[in-house]
Amino acid sequence: MSKRNKHTISILVENKTGVLQRVAGLFTRRDFNIDNITVGKTANTKISRITITTYGDNNTLEQIIKQLNKLIEVIKVREMKPENTLRRQLALLKIHAPKEQDKAEIIQYVNIFRGHIIDVTPKTITVEITGNPDKINALMNLLRPYGIKETAKTGITAIGRGQKTL
């Protein structure tokens, strides 16, 4: 029986128009689901790095990597193993906080999670937090009882630990 695991894939691509569309289109054509995706230029402005999180068994992962390597603009593809990877995500959370006591408690939680208060109004506090997705989810679970009015999260971006590079 096959096992569905979460996989993070890092892809170096030529920084050209339409490359992201071709990568995403490959996933669509092959019926692979993208859980989240981020893209940005590397230190070399001619190269971009795409980070994709997807679910599937090992055969699915192997097929994704093989198909990605067939795209002309793809320079390198690697699965980012959890034990050797630093993964980060950004979340902005607007929390309902009409009472001063609620604000004080929210600020304490945000400080414990090393987040930042980036906006305060008489009825809301907006929080910025970066980190491992588990850390962000843990803070969201603590803040949920106050009433999360709005959430904006980026995709996961990842880089390998140590000296080895993609």
Side-chain angles (χ1 to χ4, degrees):
M1 182 171 185
S2 65
K3 185 177 178 187
R4 288 179 48 90
N5 294 322
K6 188 174 190 174
H7 302 283
T8 303
I9 302 167
S10 194
I11 311 159
L12 292 181
V13 296
E14 295 174 13
N15 186 15
K16 293 182 176 176
T17 304
V19 172
L20 179 60
Q21 181 181 11
R22 281 190 276 287
V23 169
L26 179 147
F27 275 74
T28 302
R29 285 190 310 277
R30 302 290 178 168
D31 200 28
F32 303 136
N33 188 36
I34 295 174
D35 185 49
N36 66 57
I37 187 169
T38 61
V39 63
K41 290 180 189 170
T42 64
N44 179 345
T45 58
K46 294 180 179 179
I47 298 173
S48 290
R49 183 183 189 120
I50 300 172
T51 305
I52 295 175
T53 304
T54 186
Y55 288 90
D57 60 24
N58 289 336
N59 290 333
T60 300
L61 175 65
E62 186 180 320
Q63 284 303 309
I64 290 170
I65 291 172
K66 280 182 182 176
Q67 296 300 319
L68 286 169
N69 276 314
K70 290 181 181 178
L71 295 177
I72 293 169
E73 300 89 352
V74 170
I75 298 166
K76 202 167 197 177
V77 180
R78 179 180 294 157
E79 179 193 12
M80 305 298 287
K81 301 274 188 188
E83 63 273 14
N84 299 324
T85 304
L86 301 168
R87 298 166 16 117
R88 295 292 183 266
Q89 187 172 32
L90 166 71
L92 303 176
L93 311 168
K94 189 173 290 184
I95 315 301
H96 183 68
K99 299 177 194 167
E100 290 304 315
Q101 183 180 345
D102 291 345
K103 284 184 175 83
E105 291 172 4
I106 291 168
I107 289 169
Q108 282 183 326
Y109 287 139
V110 170
N111 287 336
I112 289 168
F113 281 80
R114 294 187 214 148
H116 302 281
I117 305 296
I118 58 172
D119 189 43
V120 177
T121 71
K123 294 186 177 181
T124 64
I125 291 181
T126 302
V127 173
E128 170 192 312
I129 182 167
T130 58
N132 183 305
D134 292 337
K135 172 185 168 183
I136 293 170
N137 289 334
L139 179 60
M140 287 179 70
N141 287 335
L142 282 172
L143 298 178
R144 190 162 284 119
Y146 297 98
I148 298 175
K149 296 177 67 104
E150 191 172 5
T151 302
K153 290 167 70 173
T154 66
I156 294 169
T157 191
I159 195 165
R161 291 184 180 272
Q163 296 180 354
K164 195 172 179 181
T165 62
L166 182 63

